[in-house]
């Protein structure tokens, strides 16, 4: 991105961007079926990616400094402030969106100031962070061995490019969800809607997954990167493998998942029972799954040039969960 664009992005953040230009796409994304299992892609991003109107909206938003090259709004965790939420095509969250999603302006302000991810309060997030590190490493004599980052829509407001905003066609067989969708969007044409799903979209719509079950609340995703933990998980993996306690599917996908690159969840759960208790406890407190995934210290691999281009590899714009200072 040019120096001018970066400067515009900083100015936009400093001014607490609450509004901005909107460029209307000329084409409508083709419908795709709604119905992946909770936590999986629902409406993959290919139709939107091929839409020249959304591409133009993205280019205009990037040129104005409203989103960066990754489609994230400008901001700095170090400064403690970022711009008003937009998706990767530049769609700006509106008051009607907050009302439908059940979010208050105060919650968005906490999100913008890196004080609490969506669905939590600053006090809850402080307790979560502190107790997470206790579960990971106790007294944490070497906190540098652990890198923790928030991922998903609670950290970025919108889901990634692999999760498109639903359409009437996709919801046609779900009358409750369709009615709620129409109440939300009204007469807004598809070209003026979000391209991606905001936090809690399918849950608030009352959408059903492929098995006909209601989609649950959005997960609280965390990525933990630590070679120390991976070494311990590997020992547990070998033990489980030698005693025949791994499923055929787990053996097929491997210790490092072939598709998603995280460490086998069973091995992590068995190697770190305190982390499992932590996740269960916070799921009960927040009313949503809290899902830590383990990676080597190098972090998730860079897959920005593969498939949909969705990658959670380290970025400067990531929300890093800092190690709490000792009292």
């Amino acid at each position: 991105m040019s120096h001018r664009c970066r400067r515009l992005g900083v100015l936009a953040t400093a001014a607490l961007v609450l509004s901005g230009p909107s460029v209307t796409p000329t084409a409508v994304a083709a419908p795709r079926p709604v119905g992946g299992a909770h936590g999986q892609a629902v409406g993959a991003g290919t139709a939107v990616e091929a839409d020249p109107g959304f591409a133009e909206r993205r280019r205009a938003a990037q040129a104005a400094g409203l989103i960066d090259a990754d489609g994230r709004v400008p901001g700095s965790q170090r400064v403690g402030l970022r711009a008003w939420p937009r998706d990767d095509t530049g769609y700006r969250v509106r008051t009607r969106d907050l009302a439908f999603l059940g979010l208050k302006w105060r919650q968005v302000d906490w999100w913008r100031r890196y004080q609490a991810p969506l669905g939590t309060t600053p006090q809850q997030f402080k307790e979560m962070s502190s107790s997470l590190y206790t579960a990971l490493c106790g007294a944490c004599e070497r906190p540098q061995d652990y890198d923790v980052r928030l991922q998903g829509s609670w950290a970025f407001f919108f889901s990634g490019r692999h999760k498109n905003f639903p359409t009437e066609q996709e919801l046609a067989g779900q009358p409750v969800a369709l009615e709620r969708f129409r109440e939300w969007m009204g007469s807004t044409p598809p070209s003026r809607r979000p391209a991606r799903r905001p936090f809690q979209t399918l849950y608030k719509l009352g959408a059903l997954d492929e098995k006909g079950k209601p989609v649950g609340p959005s997960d609280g995703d965390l990525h933990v990167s630590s070679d120390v933990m991976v070494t311990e998980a590997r020992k547990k993996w070998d033990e489980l493998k030698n005693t025949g306690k791994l499923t055929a599917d787990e053996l097929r996908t491997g210790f490092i998942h072939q598709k998603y690159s995280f460490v086998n969840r069973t091995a992590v759960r068995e190697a770190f029972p305190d982390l499992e208790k932590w996740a269960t406890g916070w799921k009960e407190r927040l009313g949503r799954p809290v899902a830590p995934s383990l990676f080597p210290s190098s972090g998730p691999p860079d897959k920005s040039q593969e498939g949909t281009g969705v990658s959670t590899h380290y970025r400067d714009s990531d929300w890093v969960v800092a190690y709490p200072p000792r009292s």
Side-chain angles (χ1 to χ4, degrees):
M1 186 178 290
S2 68
H3 174 72
R4 176 176 176 272
C5 288
R6 288 195 298 270
R7 180 169 61 83
L8 284 171
V10 171
L11 290 174
T13 303
L16 306 183
V17 178
L18 296 178
S19 62
S22 176
V23 178
T24 304
T26 57
V28 178
R32 297 181 67 86
V34 171
H38 181 45
Q40 297 179 350
V42 179
T46 53
V48 169
E49 294 308 304
D51 188 299
F54 280 112
E56 176 57 32
R57 189 165 82 180
R58 179 184 295 108
R59 285 193 294 269
Q62 288 179 346
L66 301 175
I67 58 174
D68 65 17
D70 293 317
R72 299 180 181 182
V73 295
S76 168
Q77 187 176 0
R78 178 180 58 80
V79 175
L81 185 65
R82 58 180 160 184
W84 188 257
R86 295 176 183 264
D87 73 11
D88 69 298
T89 67
Y91 175 88
R92 173 187 174 274
V93 169
R94 290 155 169 74
T95 301
R96 67 169 184 192
D97 303 328
L98 297 182
F100 180 81
L101 298 170
L103 294 171
K104 305 295 184 182
W105 288 82
R106 178 179 61 176
Q107 292 173 285
V108 181
D109 192 54
W110 290 337
W111 173 86
R112 295 182 61 205
R113 297 178 184 277
Y114 300 91
Q115 294 175 345
L118 299 176
T120 71
T121 68
Q123 182 59 39
Q124 285 176 327
F125 184 52
K126 183 178 180 180
E127 293 178 17
M128 281 186 66
S129 302
S130 178
S131 59
L132 172 60
Y133 271 95
T134 298
L136 291 178
C137 52
C140 258
E141 295 299 326
R142 288 181 53 84
Q144 65 269 28
D145 289 339
Y146 306 86
D147 182 286
V148 182
R149 303 182 185 221
L150 301 182
Q151 296 292 338
S153 59
W154 75 332
F156 302 113
F157 205 101
F158 287 91
S159 297
R161 294 194 301 272
H162 58 308
K163 296 183 179 180
N164 287 349
F165 193 67
T167 66
E168 287 92 342
Q169 292 92 334
E170 292 170 350
L171 298 171
Q174 302 184 29
V176 172
L178 182 59
E179 179 61 26
R180 291 179 182 176
F181 183 85
R182 288 171 172 166
E183 290 175 357
W184 179 10
M185 287 290 107
S187 60
T188 304
S191 61
R192 293 182 179 273
R193 298 172 185 173
R196 315 302 180 195
R197 298 205 302 260
F199 176 74
Q200 299 273 69
T201 291
L202 296 184
Y203 175 63
K204 290 295 184 179
L205 285 173
L208 305 177
D209 64 20
E210 290 180 335
K211 297 180 179 179
K213 296 181 179 180
V215 175
S218 296
D219 292 355
D221 293 321
L222 302 100
H223 285 183
V224 180
S225 300
S226 170
D227 286 343
V228 172
M229 293 181 67
V230 171
T231 297
E232 292 301 312
R234 169 65 78 172
K235 295 177 182 177
K236 183 58 66 172
W237 164 270
D238 291 339
E239 176 186 322
L240 294 170
K241 183 178 180 180
N242 292 335
T243 55
K245 295 182 180 179
L246 294 171
T247 66
D249 186 59
E250 287 177 317
L251 292 172
R252 178 180 58 81
T253 56
F255 176 66
I256 301 293
H257 197 284
Q258 291 180 1
K259 181 176 182 179
Y260 299 111
S261 302
F262 52 68
V263 174
N264 175 264
R265 298 193 186 282
T266 300
V268 173
R269 184 170 58 249
E270 293 294 323
F272 305 102
D274 287 345
L275 180 59
E276 177 70 11
K277 293 177 182 177
W278 176 87
T280 300
W282 280 100
K283 176 182 178 180
E284 294 174 354
R285 289 188 62 175
L286 298 178
R288 74 183 64 258
V290 178
S293 298
L294 178 61
F295 298 86
S297 290
S298 56
D302 187 350
K303 296 186 177 182
S304 57
Q305 304 303 314
E306 303 176 19
T308 61
V310 176
S311 179
T312 56
H313 185 63
Y314 290 165
R315 285 173 168 79
D316 291 339
S317 53
D318 285 346
W319 189 335
V320 180
V321 181
Y323 174 66
R326 290 183 179 138
S327 57

